Amino acid sequence: MAAEELNLTQSAISRQIKELESNLGVDLFRRVGRRVELTEAGATFADELSVDLERIRQTVFRAITAGEKSKSLRIATLPTFASRWLIPRLPDFEALHPDIHVNLLTCLEPFDFRRENYDAALHFGLANWPETDMQKLFAESMLPVASPAFRKRFNIDDAQSLLAAPLVHLETRPAAWNEWFELAGIRGLGAINGKQFGQFSMIISAATNSIGAALLPSYLIEEELQDGRLVSLSGIHLRTQNAYFIVKPEGSISPQLLAFSNWLQSIGPPQKMS
């Protein structure tokens, strides 16, 4: 396969490998039956080489971008946050900076900026992303909501009546409702039954379709609260320890990324909506 990719004969490839092994002083491959496998030294060498090649690719990419009249940014972000909060606000940034193109790509976990082709990331969690510059955008405030029909059906007017209604849970936050009820003065509930969903977007859909009451960040349901598809069930807001950050690689950044970062921080935290 390597010979075909490089348009060389297999014997030529073999000679190149033997010369490389001779220069390195280690065997990179071993023959196992009719197959050829990497040795431990070969696997380590391949991993390190892939990092170097990725750095070269990113250097070339930055050089190409620097030569373009219209500059672009590649931002890693969480999909629900992007679709529900960031994208509706992007036209304001584009009006201020029409020469900067913002490309949003889905990324759910922290990564190494040296190996990934992103200019920045929008991260939710704690300020614990190593070897980066993290700037806090806003903390998370969650409130209980439901559709108007659901609220009327279960006659919800306080925390106790809410406890008697069906609740929906985010799978990754099984204790969120317990924390909210403790704030409301109801303690010692143990596990709270209810349907579980894997994404906030699913929770929002479940709440608007009257499947259950949901505990949701206010900034993800601004539109639903404004048009009345969802209503707040209490003035008690659960403020979590997590927050949203814009995360940038350490060191100097481009003027385009600085403009985007400054714009994000100028928006300010979402307003609580009761």
Side-chain angles (χ1 to χ4, degrees), residues 27-76:
D27 292 333
L28 300 177
F29 295 90
R30 61 171 172 266
R31 186 171 295 279
V32 180
R34 301 183 63 181
R35 295 182 295 108
V36 175
E37 296 181 349
L38 285 169
T39 62
E40 183 176 350
T44 300
F45 180 67
D47 288 341
E48 293 176 351
L49 189 60
S50 68
V51 174
D52 294 335
L53 290 173
E54 176 59 23
R55 288 174 179 166
I56 293 172
R57 187 178 71 84
Q58 293 193 29
T59 299
V60 172
F61 176 83
R62 287 193 292 269
I64 293 173
T65 301
E68 294 177 351
K69 183 178 180 180
S70 177
K71 303 301 187 292
S72 64
L73 294 172
R74 287 173 57 87
I75 308 297

Side-chain angles (χ1 to χ4, degrees), residues 19-258:
E19 184 176 345
L20 178 60
E21 290 177 328
S22 176
N23 291 334
L24 295 174
V26 295
D27 292 333
L28 300 177
F29 295 90
R30 61 171 172 266
R31 186 171 295 279
V32 180
R34 301 183 63 181
R35 295 182 295 108
V36 175
E37 296 181 349
L38 285 169
T39 62
E40 183 176 350
T44 300
F45 180 67
D47 288 341
E48 293 176 351
L49 189 60
S50 68
V51 174
D52 294 335
L53 290 173
E54 176 59 23
R55 288 174 179 166
I56 293 172
R57 187 178 71 84
Q58 293 193 29
T59 299
V60 172
F61 176 83
R62 287 193 292 269
I64 293 173
T65 301
E68 294 177 351
K69 183 178 180 180
S70 177
K71 303 301 187 292
S72 64
L73 294 172
R74 287 173 57 87
I75 308 297
T77 185
L78 301 171
T80 304
F81 177 75
S83 62
R84 308 287 305 190
W85 188 86
L86 178 58
I87 291 175
R89 290 167 168 80
L90 269 184
D92 295 335
F93 177 78
E94 293 178 344
L96 293 171
H97 304 279
D99 59 328
I100 302 176
H101 293 172
V102 179
N103 303 299
L104 301 178
L105 298 309
T106 298
C107 190
L108 303 179
E109 300 291 341
F111 54 83
D112 187 344
F113 277 98
R114 296 170 299 179
R115 302 189 64 171
E116 301 293 338
N117 188 22
Y118 294 115
D119 295 289
L122 292 172
H123 170 68
F124 176 75
L126 303 176
N128 56 359
W129 193 325
E131 299 181 1
T132 64
D133 174 19
M134 299 185 69
Q135 292 178 300
K136 184 177 177 179
L137 299 177
F138 50 81
E140 181 181 63
S141 177
M142 302 180 74
L143 68 158
V145 296
S147 69
F150 183 91
R151 182 176 191 175
K152 182 178 180 181
R153 186 196 317 163
F154 291 94
N155 193 27
I156 300 171
D157 56 10
D158 59 15
Q160 195 66 48
S161 58
L162 176 56
L163 183 60
L167 305 177
V168 293
H169 304 261
L170 186 67
E171 184 181 20
T172 55
R173 301 193 190 187
W177 270 115
N178 293 74
E179 294 173 11
W180 185 87
F181 278 113
E182 285 191 9
L183 281 178
I186 302 176
R187 297 175 173 83
L189 293 176
I192 300 175
N193 293 328
K195 293 182 174 66
Q196 292 190 347
F197 295 89
Q199 296 285 339
F200 271 135
S201 57
M202 299 178 185
I203 298 284
I204 295 169
S205 181
T208 55
N209 286 283
S210 299
I211 291 175
L215 194 60
L216 287 164
S218 55
Y219 51 84
L220 295 184
I221 49 174
E222 293 171 332
E223 184 177 324
E224 286 79 6
L225 290 171
Q226 289 169 0
D227 64 23
R229 283 179 288 163
L230 290 176
V231 293
S232 175
L233 302 176
S234 171
I236 300 172
H237 293 243
L238 174 64
R239 188 179 179 91
T240 71
Q241 295 181 341
N242 296 319
Y244 274 97
F245 298 84
I246 180 166
V247 186
K248 295 165 286 189
E250 287 182 323
S252 61
I253 60 173
S254 68
Q256 294 76 36
L257 181 54
L258 180 61

